[in-house]
Amino acid sequence: SADSVWSRVPMIPHAVWPPSPAYQPVAGAHKALIEGHVQLGIVNSEVFLKTLDDYGAIVLPGQRILSESECEAIRSFVRNGGSLIATEETGTRDTKNNRLDNFSISDVLGIKYMESSDTANSYLRVPEKIEEYGIPAYDIPVAGKYVRVESTTAKTLLELMPPYEGIKTGTPPPAEFPSGPGVTLNNYGKGKAIYCASELFSGYYVQGTPLLRKLALWMLGLIYPDESRTIAVENTPINVEVFYNQRGKERFVHLVNYSGDKREVGASQAQDFPVVHGNRVRLRLSTKPAGVTAVPGGDKIAFTYRNGWVVFDAKPLDIHSVYRIEV
């Protein structure tokens, strides 16, 4: 929301938006999800309320300010089976940017707000290797502040490790003992909500640490697995961007081999385009499609349809491939 962005802006705003800490949580969430091939929309408060039912999951990356209508929409969404991920100071301020005593959606998250730190980093302790996502048993560093919370109904998945001896600057190692929950999971009605106390997404934007992206995708996978989504891909590296849209009874899958240098200032410059092989696309459709073709050209693509999923192997990807599905 615009309110949440402006609540982070210094008295003298940055002249250029990308480096500004105010935008880093949203920019980091976008980067992590796009690289994880998750279809998404970045919406403002008005569009959020109008289109929420079109989505299967909500991600609130450090959205400090949530209006009363937004909170009620989130409660209804999760209660009816939706999924939610929220991080750090989401819902900790009122619409006048005054700090609240508790999260405005504490019932959905199943936690109680205690305090916000002013340290330069924190750690999320992974006690056992998460094989599917390649996350080792490790204290994973996250740049930025953290929030200390207590669980009310939520289950703790990962503990939060503060910096050693309360050191607030630099990159101190983790403390000997945890400071409470770092990642929690709460059942709310028919849905589920995950909360992360560290600045996971802004940390990923600043650091680019692959483990932070993997943690975000693991959290999403716990509450919104591939089987619940409209599209999933296999054997697809993070430099391949996937877009799925529709026009009438047609569906289109775009695979883009993104090989530009992702700079913050100035236009990205195209580098080399190594051909990507082995991409497999899975689409969830209620009926078997009439056919799948590559466009332009119209080459017919072999596919299978089973249990509501269309599956096909993409052709070797050079720069940009498009597949048309006739429903």
Side-chain angles (χ1 to χ4, degrees):
S1 69
D3 287 343
S4 290
V5 171
W6 285 109
S7 76
R8 296 173 175 270
V9 174
M11 292 300 293
I12 302 177
H14 292 269
V16 182
W17 79 262
S20 169
Y23 289 89
Q24 288 172 359
V26 173
H30 174 264
K31 176 178 168 64
L33 295 174
I34 284 290
E35 291 175 343
H37 311 118
V38 178
Q39 300 300 289
L40 62 95
I42 299 177
V43 298
N44 61 26
S45 296
E46 182 179 357
V47 176
F48 176 80
L49 293 174
K50 291 180 179 179
T51 65
L52 183 55
D53 290 340
D54 295 336
Y55 293 88
I58 307 170
V59 179
L60 300 175
Q63 296 295 289
R64 286 177 168 180
I65 297 175
L66 296 174
S67 67
E68 184 176 340
S69 57
E70 288 168 343
C71 290
E72 285 306 311
I74 291 167
R75 288 189 180 95
S76 177
F77 176 82
V78 179
R79 187 186 302 119
N80 291 326
S83 302
L84 168 69
I85 293 179
T87 64
E88 30 120 355
E89 290 191 320
T90 289
T92 57
R93 304 202 175 203
D94 63 21
T95 53
K96 295 182 179 180
N97 205 24
N98 297 314
R99 190 176 294 280
L100 301 172
D101 293 332
N102 200 1
F103 295 102
S104 57
I105 51 171
S106 61
D107 53 338
V108 182
L109 299 176
I111 52 175
K112 179 181 178 182
Y113 175 84
M114 302 301 292
E115 63 180 352
S116 297
S117 77
D118 57 353
T119 60
N121 76 321
S122 63
Y123 294 82
L124 295 172
R125 171 161 289 179
V126 180
E128 297 180 1
K129 183 177 181 180
I130 305 173
E131 295 278 356
E132 182 181 356
Y133 292 86
I135 302 173
Y138 187 64
D139 288 346
I140 299 175
V142 185
K145 305 175 186 177
Y146 67 89
V147 176
R148 194 165 68 85
V149 303
E150 285 186 356
S151 174
T152 54
T153 59
K155 174 185 176 182
T156 298
L157 301 180
L158 303 179
E159 292 180 317
L160 186 134
M161 307 302 295
Y164 183 71
E165 293 187 349
I167 299 174
K168 297 183 178 180
T169 59
T171 54
E176 185 176 358
F177 301 105
S179 184
V183 176
T184 61
L185 172 64
N186 189 52
N187 294 314
Y188 185 78
K190 298 178 181 178
K192 297 179 183 296
I194 280 186
Y195 172 79
C196 179
S198 295
E199 294 189 344
L200 179 70
F201 292 117
S202 57
Y204 183 53
Y205 183 81
V206 171
Q207 295 175 306
T209 307
L211 283 178
L212 298 185
R213 179 187 72 250
K214 293 177 180 180
L215 275 176
L217 296 175
W218 166 69
M219 294 177 200
L220 185 63
L222 288 175
I223 58 175
Y224 190 53
D226 286 352
E227 291 71 23
S228 301
R229 305 177 195 177
T230 56
I231 183 171
V233 292
E234 300 172 2
N235 306 319
T236 305
I238 65 171
N239 63 291
V240 174
E241 298 188 4
V242 181
F243 302 94
Y244 183 39
N245 54 18
Q246 69 181 59
R247 182 182 62 188
K249 294 184 178 181
E250 299 172 311
R251 304 291 186 270
F252 294 91
V253 176
H254 297 254
L255 302 179
V256 181
N257 189 356
Y258 189 93
S259 297
D261 54 347
K262 295 185 178 181
R263 63 179 69 193
E264 291 184 351
V265 179
S268 297
Q269 300 300 315
Q271 307 298 324
D272 195 9
F273 292 94
V275 177
V276 181
H277 297 261
N279 295 310
R280 173 166 290 183
V281 179
R282 299 171 60 233
L283 303 174
R284 187 155 57 89
L285 293 175
S286 58
T287 60
K288 182 179 179 179
V292 177
T293 56
V295 292
D299 294 343
K300 293 187 180 299
I301 304 298
F303 69 93
T304 61
Y305 181 77
R306 186 179 297 113
N307 299 325
W309 286 92
V310 178
V311 181
F312 65 89
D313 292 324
K315 300 165 66 175
L317 173 63
D318 185 8
I319 298 177
H320 180 202
S321 296
V322 184
Y323 298 91
R324 174 174 173 263
I325 298 91
E326 300 175 64
V327 179

